[in-house]
Amino acid sequence: MTTSAPARPPRARKPKPEGQWNVDGKEPLNSNEEVKAADDGFNVRARIEQTYAKGGFSSIDPQDLHGRFRWWGLYTQRKPGIDGGKTGSLSDAEIEDEYFMMRVRLDGGTLTRQQLKTLATISTEFARGTADITDRQNIQYHWIRIEDVPEIWRRLEEAGMDTVSACGDVPRVILGSPVAGVAQDEIIDPTPVLEQIKAEVRTLEFSNLPRKYKTAVTGSPALDVVHEINDCSFVGVVHPELGPGYDIWVGGALSVQPFLGQRLGAFVREDQALDVWRGVTGIFRDYGYRRLRNRARLKFLVKDWGVEKFRQVLQDEYLGYELADGPEPAQPTEPGDHIGVHKQQDGRNFIGVAPRAGRVPGQLLHDLADVMERFGSDRLRTTPHQKLLVLDIDDDDVTDAVDALNALDLPTKPGAFRRTTMACTGIEFCKLAIVETKEVASEVMDDLDRRLEDVDLPAPITLHINGCPNSCARIQAADIGLKGQLLPTEDGGQKPGYQVHLGGGFSSAERGMDASLGRTVRGLKVFQDELADYVERLTRRFLEQREPDESFAAWSIRAEEDDLK
């Protein structure tokens, strides 16, 4: 009789390294990390000024062109005429034009009238009149030639602006409350914290992060900086013993795998905020995943660690002290887009206006600067909702100022859809886009406001239009979010259209603290040329079926699928 040898237990596979510097070392594990290790992105500026601007587009090293240029706010833009069906299948060389998108970094969205004039002049002289407000408060140009970049930088910096870290694997522009230091109901002015963080961004300490990193700071009870989708957010609260300070949130981001940020449950005093930001950013630099680009955002580390471990590492390894527990933010009572006329702390007024899905051509910026000068305003703010606020208008001038802004097609009382519609850059300029967005948004918002003049919406319905799956227009966080696709037609062809997301949104006066990413109904898609019909039908059905005090988001989550088509 023989006995068989006991079976060997299966050998445990050693997990692949994630590229965490504090765990796996700094050996680059992909080509992006190799490029960053070879030369810091900040260093490309000298080559742009001394070599590429003189030698033209053909003289640019590909590693600089498709990598380090981003550290200075530059991406190549899409060649005209390449349809969305070729997006993703063409190489950079085939799809890109010899012109650039340039992103001007505006931390907190703050501008003086003179800075606005500078931006307007750059648009008209160097960018074929283009300029857009992004949903991160930046100004974005197109049609920029490499030969003109040094002169544009000179003019921006002479006016106190720049493009530093506007793109790339760095701390991007800091979202700040557009009413910082102005609003009557402000909990705490975030300006000092924002300025401290802004200075850190311009150092080499955080110039090589695993991927992009987004920060937001607000002291407004309106919760006006979409704090739930930033990597690190500071939200104004009042501690019962320690007074005004900040609640800290980490790990929010959208794109193709969206996550809402999570509270650490810690209260941050104003004098601790810079330490905490440096600590959270340091964790991302040292422990963030670098091997796979699609897992290199902070949200994945927060998901794997959980907030308890994240807070402990922050305190033990980066701060050296414990943070006090703190309260969560209170429910907003006012809209966070700040549209309309509002009183300031000093008795004057700020006026919020709605451009067309963020599009603000250079001539419009010139005209706006003239209106500001006429009424004695020297301050302008951009918002995370692609809106503009004109500050410091005296009571006696409000009516005339409103009339002047309306004459520029900058309404202070926009229609419901003009107010809430946002759009990304789209196929006009973006190499990743599949469909058009900006012009579609402009036409559809006007059409809907005409069609629905007869109805009284209980609250605005947000409509966000995106040209691809990457969610630059925050489609998962809108009442109606549209993800650009090419949809099949009955004759076997394709037409531009959208996958529909419904019921998403952030904490707000309308929906309380119920931030969510909404729902995607399988097969719910709409052709671009039928978009206004669809949104009108959906809006009227909501009004027919809603319960008392029910929001569009709440209705769209509970509604039957057939009612959403």
Side-chain angles (χ1 to χ4, degrees):
M1 183 175 178
T2 60
T3 58
S4 59
R8 291 182 178 179
R11 182 178 296 175
R13 290 187 178 182
K14 186 177 180 181
K16 287 185 177 180
E18 291 275 16
Q20 297 169 283
W21 280 2
N22 274 12
V23 177
D24 307 308
K26 294 188 176 182
E27 184 67 27
L29 299 181
N30 60 47
S31 59
N32 293 92
E33 291 299 311
E34 288 171 356
V35 168
K36 291 190 289 183
D39 189 29
D40 193 280
F42 281 175
N43 294 336
V44 79
R45 172 159 180 163
R47 293 192 288 278
I48 291 173
E49 293 177 321
Q50 297 166 16
T51 303
Y52 304 144
K54 297 174 182 177
F57 189 87
S58 62
S59 70
I60 304 172
D61 182 283
Q63 286 194 347
D64 285 343
L65 181 65
H66 300 124
R68 301 182 188 98
F69 268 42
R70 300 174 186 180
W71 272 244
W72 289 93
L74 294 165
Y75 283 97
T76 51
Q77 68 185 39
R78 188 187 193 96
K79 268 182 194 167
I82 298 179
D83 68 57
K86 296 180 180 177
T87 299
S89 64
L90 298 180
S91 67
D92 276 324
E94 293 171 306
I95 201 169
E96 70 188 1
D97 210 344
E98 294 188 359
Y99 295 93
F100 291 88
M101 177 276 285
M102 173 182 276
R103 189 175 292 158
V104 180
R105 182 186 184 114
L106 300 176
D107 296 283
T110 61
L111 284 168
T112 65
R113 187 172 69 244
Q114 186 56 51
Q115 287 174 329
L116 179 63
K117 289 180 178 179
T118 298
L119 292 173
T121 301
I122 290 172
S123 170
T124 53
E125 286 192 26
F126 300 109
R128 300 190 187 181
T130 62
D132 294 329
I133 307 168
T134 74
D135 62 8
R136 292 198 63 81
Q137 298 179 275
N138 295 306
I139 289 289
Q140 199 159 280
Y141 295 124
H142 298 283
W143 298 111
I144 300 296
R145 302 187 320 139
I146 191 64
E147 291 88 345
D148 296 326
V149 168
E151 174 61 15
I152 294 172
W153 279 342
R154 187 192 68 76
R155 295 193 192 186
L156 287 172
E157 289 165 5
E158 189 176 69
M161 297 176 288
D162 59 39
T163 68
V164 177
S165 297
C167 314
D169 296 349
V170 287
R172 301 283 184 89
V173 66
I174 307 157
L175 290 189
S177 171
V179 294
V182 172
Q184 288 185 329
D185 61 353
E186 189 170 53
I187 296 167
I188 185 171
D189 183 354
T191 306
V193 170
L194 188 146
E195 290 297 325
Q196 289 176 335
I197 297 173
K198 181 179 174 181
E200 292 290 314
V201 168
R202 287 152 173 76
T203 70
L204 292 177
E205 187 171 357
F206 300 114
S207 65
N208 181 356
L209 300 177
R211 277 200 72 185
K212 58 187 173 185
Y213 178 79
K214 298 179 178 180
T215 304
V217 190
T218 184
S220 170
L223 303 182
D224 52 3
V225 293
V226 294
H227 64 276
E228 296 100 333
I229 55 164
N230 284 268
D231 296 281
C232 179
S233 293
F234 297 88
V235 181
V237 293
V238 179
H239 192 283
E241 286 88 34
L242 301 173
Y246 296 98
D247 189 38
I248 178 75
W249 296 59
V250 298
L254 292 179
S255 193
V256 293
Q257 294 188 68
F259 291 90
L260 292 177
Q262 300 185 54
R263 294 184 61 236
L264 290 188
F267 178 77
V268 180
R269 301 192 315 263
E270 184 178 63
D271 65 326
Q272 295 173 325
L274 180 60
D275 285 346
V276 171
W277 182 85
R278 286 176 52 83
V280 173
T281 313
I283 288 175
F284 183 43
R285 177 195 60 206
D286 301 336
Y287 288 101
Y289 305 142
R290 293 174 182 260
R291 181 172 67 90
L292 299 175
R293 292 284 287 178
N294 62 1
R295 266 179 56 81
R297 292 295 302 274
L298 183 63
K299 61 187 177 183
F300 294 103
L301 183 67
V302 173
K303 180 177 180 289
D304 291 347
W305 276 11
V307 292
E308 185 176 338
K309 177 178 178 179
F310 194 98
R311 178 175 174 178
Q312 204 61 55
V313 172
L314 172 65
Q315 293 174 156
D316 293 349
E317 296 187 27
Y318 291 84
L319 295 179
Y321 56 82
E322 298 284 322
L323 294 169
D325 292 337
E328 61 184 311
Q331 177 179 329
T333 58
E334 298 290 336
D337 62 4
H338 304 297
I339 290 292
V341 179
H342 304 267
K343 275 291 181 185
Q344 297 180 181
Q345 295 172 6
D346 62 5
R348 293 182 292 178
N349 304 272
F350 68 86
I351 303 176
V353 298
R356 293 185 168 274
R359 185 135 283 180
V360 285
Q363 187 58 53
L364 175 61
L365 298 180
H366 278 295
D367 294 341
L368 177 58
D370 290 343
V371 168
M372 291 174 63
E373 186 168 13
R374 175 182 165 192
F375 294 106
S377 171
D378 189 47
R379 295 192 293 173
L380 185 75
R381 302 277 170 89
T382 62
T383 84
H385 303 280
Q386 297 182 333
K387 305 298 187 286
L388 288 168
L389 309 186
V390 179
L391 275 53
D392 305 328
I393 303 298
D394 291 332
D395 286 346
D396 293 343
D397 291 329
V398 166
T399 299
D400 289 342
V402 166
D403 289 344
L405 292 166
N406 286 333
L408 297 181
D409 192 26
L410 294 174
T412 60
K413 293 181 179 179
F417 284 94
R418 172 72 178 264
R419 178 169 183 168
T420 65
T421 299
M422 295 203 318
C424 71
T425 299
I427 201 170
E428 182 181 11
F429 297 116
C430 179
K431 295 183 295 183
L432 302 178
I434 301 167
V435 301
E436 170 57 42
T437 55
K438 290 286 189 185
E439 287 301 318
V440 170
S442 183
E443 293 171 6
V444 166
M445 69 172 75
D446 286 349
D447 197 1
L448 287 169
D449 283 336
R450 283 192 298 268
R451 293 182 185 211
L452 294 165
E453 278 183 323
D454 63 317
V455 304
D456 183 20
L457 291 177
I461 296 173
T462 54
L463 177 66
H464 294 185
I465 304 176
N466 216 78
C468 79
N470 287 316
S471 200
C472 294
R474 308 199 294 254
I475 52 175
Q476 301 100 327
D479 288 315
I480 304 172
L482 302 167
K483 179 174 69 177
Q485 298 180 342
L486 292 177
L487 303 181
T489 57
E490 291 182 356
D491 61 2
Q494 289 182 317
K495 283 171 55 178
Y498 306 95
Q499 167 74 56
V500 181
H501 299 255
L502 295 168
F506 304 119
S507 303
S508 66
E510 293 79 24
R511 64 185 294 149
M513 300 303 288
D514 182 28
S516 74
L517 297 173
R519 68 187 286 194
T520 302
V521 178
R522 186 181 179 90
L524 180 51
K525 299 178 181 182
V526 59
F527 287 118
Q528 191 174 83
D529 57 8
E530 298 173 2
L531 181 55
D533 293 337
Y534 171 72
V535 176
E536 180 189 10
R537 183 169 67 248
L538 192 66
T539 302
R540 292 188 183 277
R541 193 167 293 151
F542 156 64
L543 293 171
E544 292 169 2
Q545 297 183 358
R546 71 184 290 259
E547 301 291 341
D549 300 324
E550 186 175 35
S551 68
F552 178 90
W555 170 78
S556 65
I557 295 299
R558 73 161 176 85
E560 297 294 330
E561 290 189 4
D562 286 346
D563 290 329
L564 301 175
K565 295 179 179 177

